[in-house]
Amino acid sequence: MPATTRRKRVTKSPDDRRDDILRAGQRVFGTTGFERATISELADAAEIGKGTFYLYFESKDHLLGALWERYVDAIVSTAQEILAESDDWWPTIDRVMSALVRHAIANAELHRIVYGSANAKALELCRQANQRVIDLMCAFVEEGTDAGAFRAGDTRVAFRMAYHASDGLLDDLIGQEDDRTGLDERRVTAMVLELVHRALGDHTYTPALTPG
């Protein structure tokens, strides 16, 4: 009988192994699709056994949630850096929202995986991660409201509404994206900034090209 081929054992740190699984997950979800992907396929792509997979993630839902959380981590880090640089309210919120649009477009494939094929459990894990961004920005909006920069009946609610509308618009546009041309980042950013300005009480705002 032919000898059974065994996977060569490679020693890696837990962080490196987790990163391997995350990268493998994004590849498999992007090609096979979230619903059709199996734990065996994910483990094979990461060059580990199924048992090792379960040491890091309870299910493929949690793996997708972790991919989205990593995406959100980058958004939160970028937003925190921008918010720490200036207390000039409108230019700061413009820079943050522009960065969010840029990050979403750069990660269009992950958006399509999450919102195009993920199930309710995975989507809930992603929603929980999104809340971190919303909470961070609502705190900034509240400070700006106290300073008299933002004006609306309830600026926190107004911002949440504008954020969700912008997020929904991005997901819709990414889902319809023409692979030959991609999305017009400058145009999308202008639409998002106009929405946020009007939601927070700046009704004289005229959309400009993407802020730096």
Side-chain angles (χ1 to χ4, degrees):
M1 294 180 63
T4 301
T5 301
R6 299 185 64 182
R7 182 181 288 111
K8 184 177 180 181
R9 183 180 296 275
V10 178
T11 301
K12 292 188 176 184
S13 71
D15 286 344
D16 287 343
R17 183 68 74 191
R18 189 175 190 274
D19 285 343
D20 285 347
I21 300 172
L22 287 168
R23 284 192 292 269
Q26 183 149 356
R27 288 198 307 273
V28 171
F29 293 150
T31 55
T32 302
F34 179 79
E35 289 297 334
R36 294 191 303 276
T38 65
I39 300 300
S40 293
E41 186 177 5
L42 291 165
D44 286 344
E47 299 184 346
I48 58 173
K50 287 177 64 175
T52 301
F53 177 93
Y54 285 117
L55 291 175
Y56 291 86
F57 299 100
E58 295 178 23
S59 65
K60 66 179 184 180
D61 302 282
H62 284 87
L63 174 56
L64 184 58
L67 280 168
W68 191 257
E69 186 169 16
R70 185 173 65 174
Y71 166 86
V72 171
D73 284 343
I75 293 176
V76 170
S77 178
T78 298
Q80 288 174 330
E81 290 176 5
I82 294 172
L83 295 178
E85 289 173 359
S86 173
D87 59 0
D88 196 352
W89 302 104
W90 283 113
T92 299
I93 206 166
D94 287 353
R95 287 186 62 200
V96 172
M97 296 306 295
S98 298
L100 297 184
V101 172
R102 189 177 309 117
H103 191 60
I105 293 175
N107 291 272
E109 180 186 11
L110 183 58
H111 271 256
R112 284 191 285 266
I113 292 169
V114 169
Y115 292 103
S117 59
N119 62 26
K121 185 175 182 180
L123 288 173
E124 174 59 21
L125 292 169
C126 294
R127 187 197 67 77
Q128 293 172 11
N130 285 345
Q131 192 61 45
R132 294 169 52 209
V133 183
I134 295 171
D135 289 344
L136 176 66
M137 291 305 299
C138 279
F140 174 77
V141 166
E142 188 169 2
E143 291 178 12
T145 302
D146 292 341
F150 308 132
R151 298 179 179 87
D154 186 325
T155 52
R156 287 179 65 95
V157 171
F159 177 79
R160 289 174 65 88
M161 180 174 62
Y163 180 94
H164 285 298
S166 301
D167 190 51
L169 171 65
L170 279 164
D171 291 329
D172 185 56
L173 293 175
I174 287 170
Q176 300 177 31
E177 182 179 356
D178 186 334
D179 292 334
R180 294 170 298 177
T181 60
L183 292 180
D184 184 340
E185 181 184 322
R186 292 158 73 88
R187 177 172 171 270
V188 175
T189 301
M191 289 189 292
V192 167
L193 295 186
E194 182 177 13
L195 175 62
V196 172
H197 272 255
R198 297 196 187 286
L200 293 178
D202 183 5
H203 299 294
T204 62
Y205 176 73
T206 300
L209 294 180
T210 308

